[in-house]
Amino acid sequence: MRVESSSNAEPILHVRGLAFARNDEAVFGPLDFSLARGETLLVEGDNGSGKTTLLRVLAGLLPAGAGEIRIGARAASHDAVAGRMVFLGHQSGMKNDLSPCENLVFLSGLYGTREGADVASALREVDLAVYADTPLRQLSAGQKKRAALARLALLPGELWLLDEPYANLDRRGIELVNTLVAQHCARGGAALLTSHGAVRFADPRARHVRLELVS
């Protein structure tokens, strides 16, 4: 499957012949696509079609079975993605015994902060300021998801990899995701989102890729 960027700018993410197999059974691929600054790519597919696996491969959490991934002009590696990528998976990546504020302070200590951002403003941006000091384990699933989304408003990284970012969110939360992505792309970033198809990214300019179940 080949999906080319509509931009003439140098891609932030460039993928060629990317494939993954588990126990000698193909999960997805080969895939060819690129993503430039200001662009959004929505990867859709049924459960089991490989959407989460694709993002984990792109994030370097799983090794590719075949193909090439480039971040900017460099082959993907720990050094190449450092400070350039934010991955938001099914798990929040936060500690349940800490509050949203404490979690974000810890994460910003590890990865730094985006220019002009701080913990308080990130929590306000996702409508979670009132729960800033409440332990994460006491929050609802939707509130925990908002705490995870606050990472996007806080941490540096021009490439966002968002796995099912609409899960556990109400209509206001869905609008929040779309706003965060639109603002990020307007700043010159790029975003790759997955969805099972029930919710579609609002921007009509977003490109779409559909992963099919491998029989």
Side-chain angles (χ1 to χ4, degrees):
M1 179 182 297
R2 182 182 295 272
V3 179
E4 291 296 345
S5 168
S6 59
S7 170
N8 293 323
E10 178 182 333
I12 292 177
L13 175 66
H14 189 77
V15 169
R16 281 291 177 267
L18 187 64
F20 184 86
R22 186 178 291 112
N23 298 324
D24 296 325
E25 294 290 334
V27 176
F28 66 77
L31 300 175
D32 300 285
F33 62 87
S34 58
L35 193 59
R37 297 181 185 279
E39 289 191 321
T40 303
L41 181 65
L42 181 62
V43 180
E44 299 172 291
D46 296 330
N47 290 336
S49 60
K51 302 186 303 298
T52 292
T53 301
L54 171 61
L55 261 66
R56 290 179 64 82
V57 170
L58 294 176
L61 301 176
L62 289 173
E68 178 186 37
I69 304 170
R70 301 188 71 83
I71 306 297
R74 303 174 61 188
S77 66
H78 181 271
D79 289 339
V81 304
R84 302 193 67 179
M85 180 186 294
V86 178
F87 173 64
L88 182 61
H90 286 220
Q91 302 298 319
S92 69
M94 294 182 161
K95 299 180 182 297
N96 276 325
D97 288 334
L98 299 182
S99 68
C101 182
E102 291 169 329
N103 270 290
L104 293 177
V105 168
F106 174 75
L107 290 171
S108 63
L110 289 177
Y111 303 112
T113 59
R114 180 169 53 80
E115 184 178 356
D118 56 46
V119 170
S121 65
L123 289 170
R124 286 196 302 270
E125 194 162 350
V126 298
D127 297 333
L128 208 63
V130 69
Y131 297 104
D133 299 316
T134 303
L136 209 65
R137 55 183 163 76
Q138 296 181 17
L139 301 183
S140 69
Q143 290 164 342
K144 290 178 181 177
K145 188 59 173 280
R146 286 172 181 266
L149 291 172
R151 294 167 52 195
L152 302 178
L154 179 67
L155 302 182
E158 57 196 330
L159 174 61
W160 287 1
L161 303 178
L162 311 181
D163 194 11
E164 299 287 356
Y166 302 110
N168 298 319
L169 292 176
D170 56 15
R171 183 180 298 275
R172 167 66 184 129
I174 291 168
E175 293 172 352
L176 172 62
V177 172
N178 290 340
T179 297
L180 287 170
V181 171
Q183 290 174 343
H184 175 63
C185 291
R187 292 193 298 265
L192 189 152
L193 299 76
T194 69
S195 170
H196 57 65
V199 179
R200 290 178 177 268
F201 183 62
D203 189 344
R205 298 168 298 177
R207 291 181 294 123
H208 295 251
V209 173
R210 182 165 185 86
L211 298 184
E212 303 293 345
L213 291 169
V214 178
S215 58

